[in-house]
Every structure is written in C-alpha cells, then in structure tokens.
Amino acid sequence: MKAGIIGTGHYAPEKVLTNADMEKIVDTSDEWIRTRTGIEERRIAHDNEDTSDMAFKAAEQALEEAEITGEDLDLILVATVTPDQPFPTVSCKLQERLGATKAAAMDISAACAGFMYGVITAKQFIETGAYQHVLIIGADKLSKITDWTDRNTCVLFGDGAGAAVMGPVSEDKGVLSFELGADGSGGKHLEQNDDYIFMNGREVFKFAVRQMPESSVHVVEKAGYAKEDVDYLIPHQANIRIMEAARQRLGIEEDRMAVNVNKYGNTSAASIPIALSEGVKNDKIKDNDLVVLVGFGGGLTWGAVALKWGK
Ligand code: UT7
C-alpha cells in the first residue's frame, strides 16, 4: 500500500503589508528586503482571525479537491507553533468544524518543518492500513509572536495556511522516500523568547543552505532517481537565496522550483503546503511528476519527501 496526496488547499489573509509599509514601521528598505530575502509583501491576519480560522479555510478546499468530506477523515494533523491556545488544539477545533466525527486529532510542533513531519506521520498510518484518509495542515499566525520593533525578524514573516489530504494511491505513485531530522543544539538560534521570535539570522542561514540542498539530494537518491529527474521542487519559502542553493544543487531549471516567498514572506508551517496547492492549481504539477518537498525550521528541525504525483 502506498500513501499519496489526493487533495490540496491554501488560504492567505486579505490584508497585504508591502515592503513600503515595512519602511514606515522599522528602519529598513524595500531594496534591502528584496535583495536579501526575495520578499516583496506578506499577508497579515485580522485580529479576530486566528490560526484555526485560516486552517479551516485551507482544509475545506483540500477536502473538496480530494472529493471527500470531513466524515471520511480518520486523522487530522495540524502543524503549528502558533495555535489559538495551548489546548484545545487547532486540530480538535477543526475536527468539530469539519464534522469529522470519526477522526482523531493532534497538533504537531516542528516549526517550519512541521508539515513535513505531518506528511510522514500520515504516511505511516496509511501504509500500515490503520487509516484511510488523513488531513494534514500547516498553519501559522506568526504576526502574533512577531516583535514589530525588530527589523531583523519582522520583515520576514507572514500569516497563512496550507492543507493536504493523504490517502492510499496506486503502487507507482505517492511518497517514495523521506528524511526527517532534528538538532536541538541549534535551538538557541531560532526560538520564542518570552512573547516574541528571536533569530540569529546568520546561523540559521548557514544551517539552511547546507541542509536544504543535502536533504533534497538524499530523498531523490533514496527514491532511486537522479537529481535531473526532479520535475518540481517545493522548498520552504524562507529566503530566495536559500531556495536557490537547493535548486542549484539539484541542477534543475528555474521554472521547476515553486517560488511565492515574494508574495507571502515566510509563513512557517504553511509555506510548503501553500506552494504545493498553488502548484497544483497552476498546473505546475502534473500526473506522474517527481516532486520534492523540503523544509527546515526552529528546533532545529528539517524534513524532505520525494513523491510521484497522482492517484
Ligand atoms: O523558517 C526559518 C526562518 N529563518 C530563516 O530562514 C532565516 C535565515 N536567515 C536569513 O534569511 C538571513 O540571514 C537574513 C535575511 C535574516 C539576513 O540576511 P543576511 O544577508 O544574513 O544579513 P546579515 O544578518 O548579515 O545582516 C546584514 C546587515 C546587518 O547590519 P550590520 O551589522 O552589517 O551593520 C543588519 O543589522 O543588515 C542589517 N539588517 C537590516 N537592514 C535593513 C538586518 N535586518 C535588516 C532590515 N533592513 N530589515
């Protein structure tokens, strides 16, 4: 039995904060932000729009694309570091709102790599035959833990949610290989201190430019393919320079990498599933494509997956 992605969805709040807006908040410039990160604007959730509200909208779209309803779900996994509250979890809130009466529900905390941890957790349940349909959502409202006086971090982040439904697929499709990892010794470089995000950008950058290319190559090789066989690369959208390092290491052309960091900034756990959902909707991802998802984040954590697209 193989586990694959059979539906995707995404949601980003309406309110746009451009680099010009950021210039009015902290001592920064559009030029600095664009050249150092690739970000042009980000979306910010309304005060009364919380992580579960964004997650719900992305989830509804993914269920529709998968042609199932909440009642068909066996498990809901929500990757987030900004839940509405510690408990009840975001996944439990969705269990109710989606009418997922037979689903178990839990949140996963692995920062920006959370969606990758979710996909691999879902794969185990599906491939053992324990569960049929698992909904995985990456959703974060980083704006509520952003220090809006710290130019080192506040220009980087945005809010949003992305979702995927996983289920059994045919033998030649679905997840082919994966890699998950953690290095707690690097946790101090990216953490929530008191109320806000603290980041040692240079250290995280060094880790990421090494990890993303390495993990991408590992999963492709583990799947029995060559680097140039990759049809579509979906890296965590943190910084275009880090993403480019992964693309160049695989040696694939520019149009084979998902880029939306310019529109949304770094949306944490939501970044990979938003890019995945957009790739499906824009026909960038087609049946039988070899797709690589790769992410890294606070913890430190990382994860990568190689999969053959389709049911
Ligand atoms: O999901 C994972 C989350 N984190 C990441 O992926 C972040 C990884 N790191 C990065 O993306 C980059 O390190 C940054 C974009 C954060 C910074 O880029 P950098 O090229 O590594 O810049 P830097 O840290 O070397 O700083 C260069 C200068 C510094 O000034 P001095 O000390 O050289 O005088 C900063 O103070 O840029 C300054 N700076 C800014 N200037 C204008 C830092 N933030 C800003 C800003 N506007 N917003």
Side-chain angles (χ1 to χ4, degrees):
M1 183 122 49
K2 291 292 280 297
I5 295 174
I6 59 171
T8 59
H10 66 282
Y11 171 79
E14 253 170 64
K15 185 178 169 190
V16 176
L17 210 57
T18 64
N19 288 351
D21 295 326
M22 296 308 306
E23 288 174 357
K24 293 178 202 136
I25 301 173
V26 285
D27 178 17
T28 189
S29 68
D30 172 51
E31 212 260 328
W32 190 96
I33 303 171
R34 262 189 301 108
T35 53
R36 299 290 179 121
T37 70
I39 300 167
E40 291 163 21
E41 57 188 43
R42 68 288 289 144
R43 303 295 186 89
I44 303 295
H46 199 271
D47 283 348
N48 61 16
E49 183 176 45
D50 217 332
T51 301
S52 66
D53 301 308
M54 297 191 292
F56 176 67
K57 288 185 176 145
E60 275 190 311
Q61 208 182 82
L63 289 175
E64 198 183 317
E65 197 174 287
E67 297 176 338
I68 64 166
T69 68
E71 286 173 21
D72 300 313
L73 290 173
D74 300 297
L75 176 64
I76 301 172
L77 300 171
V78 177
T80 186
V81 289
T82 50
D84 302 10
Q85 60 206 90
F87 63 93
T89 54
V90 175
S91 49
C92 278
K93 292 185 175 189
L94 292 196
Q95 186 273 333
E96 185 195 10
R97 287 178 76 173
L98 295 168
T101 46
K102 68 177 166 99
M106 69 172 170
D107 285 6
I108 292 178
S109 184
C112 304
F115 182 77
M116 309 309 301
Y117 272 76
V119 165
I120 297 311
T121 305
K123 167 183 146 69
Q124 314 307 324
F125 281 108
I126 294 164
E127 292 187 356
T128 54
Y131 290 150
Q132 272 243 308
H133 293 122
V134 183
L135 172 66
I136 308 109
I137 299 161
D140 269 307
K141 185 178 173 180
L142 287 186
S143 63
K144 66 183 175 185
I145 57 164
T146 297
D147 178 353
W148 291 97
T149 65
D150 176 16
R151 70 173 183 174
N152 290 299
T153 53
C154 74
V155 301
L156 304 175
F157 303 116
D159 300 332
V165 175
M166 286 182 70
V169 293
S170 49
E171 206 45 51
D172 56 336
K173 301 280 174 64
V175 176
L176 306 174
S177 62
F178 72 91
E179 173 171 294
L180 291 177
D183 175 12
S185 73
K188 57 186 177 289
H189 299 314
L190 180 52
E191 60 187 356
Q192 187 175 346
N193 267 343
D194 301 321
D195 292 334
Y196 299 122
I197 300 169
F198 163 82
M199 185 176 73
N200 180 340
R202 271 177 219 181
E203 285 302 322
V204 178
F205 191 91
K206 278 196 279 181
F207 154 70
V209 287
R210 180 173 44 82
Q211 197 57 55
M212 285 239 291
E214 244 176 55
S215 296
S216 307
V217 171
H218 285 166
V219 292
V220 172
E221 286 173 351
K222 268 194 215 172
Y225 283 90
K227 292 182 288 186
E228 54 274 18
D229 294 328
V230 175
D231 293 298
Y232 204 54
L233 170 67
I234 305 183
H236 170 44
Q237 310 279 311
N239 183 321
I240 191 72
R241 290 150 60 205
I242 301 170
M243 294 155 60
E244 277 295 316
R247 183 182 71 77
Q248 283 164 16
R249 179 75 180 278
L250 287 174
I252 59 171
E253 301 94 67
E254 265 180 54
D255 67 345
R256 288 208 253 154
M257 177 170 78
V259 178
N260 65 23
V261 66
N262 54 319
K263 297 192 292 183
Y264 302 126
N266 178 349
T267 57
S268 186
S271 111
I272 292 173
I274 292 176
L276 175 68
S277 177
E278 287 191 335
V280 172
K281 273 114 196 131
N282 299 337
D283 288 326
K284 292 276 190 188
I285 303 173
K286 292 174 284 300
D287 205 40
N288 263 323
D289 275 357
L290 179 63
V291 180
V292 171
L293 314 178
V294 58
F296 67 93
L300 300 167
T301 54
W302 62 92
V305 166
L307 55 91
K308 269 272 169 184
W309 196 255
K311 296 186 188 176

